[in-house]
Amino acid sequence: MPKYLVQGSYTKEGLSGLIKEGGTGRREYVENLVDEIGGSIEAFYFAFGDSDLYAVVDLPDDVSATAASLAIGASGAASIKTTVLVTPETVDEAVKMSVGYQPPGS
């Protein structure tokens, strides 16, 4: 199952909801959402800095990841950035492929 790194930043409204629900309440909600679309959460952390939370999730496919991203973004309570994570084994397969790329101006 593909793995994704999700970084989230709460809006003012989202932070108000987080304060009301608490961190574990929010994590449980996200676990249920991810489970509903056929995935699971490997890690879920709140953080200081550019993003308010980081999660590593397993999802069935990019369609599921896109659906979750759209639903969360449309809520207006948070914005998220989703990064597809690639295993070392996938990199091993990729380096064996021949790709005919020519840099611009070459």
Side-chain angles (χ1 to χ4, degrees):
M1 192 173 301
K3 230 177 243 309
Y4 302 87
L5 170 65
V6 179
Q7 297 170 249
S9 296
Y10 287 109
T11 63
K12 181 180 176 183
E13 294 79 16
L15 286 172
S16 293
L18 176 63
I19 290 168
K20 182 179 176 182
E21 295 176 12
T24 55
R26 198 68 222 158
R27 182 186 61 206
E28 288 172 13
Y29 179 84
V30 173
E31 287 172 338
N32 289 334
L33 180 144
V34 169
D35 184 58
E36 183 180 302
I37 57 176
S40 61
I41 294 179
E42 180 179 312
F44 186 96
Y45 292 96
F46 292 97
F48 301 120
D50 294 336
S51 296
D52 297 316
L53 70 87
Y54 291 86
V56 176
V57 298
D58 294 302
L59 295 172
D61 49 40
D62 289 344
V63 174
S64 301
T66 302
S69 177
L70 290 170
I72 293 166
S75 76
S79 63
I80 64 168
K81 175 182 173 184
T82 305
T83 304
V84 178
L85 299 176
V86 179
T87 66
E89 292 79 11
T90 299
V91 172
D92 289 347
E93 288 181 47
V95 298
K96 294 175 186 173
M97 293 180 68
S98 176
V99 178
Y101 174 73
Q102 179 178 338
S106 295

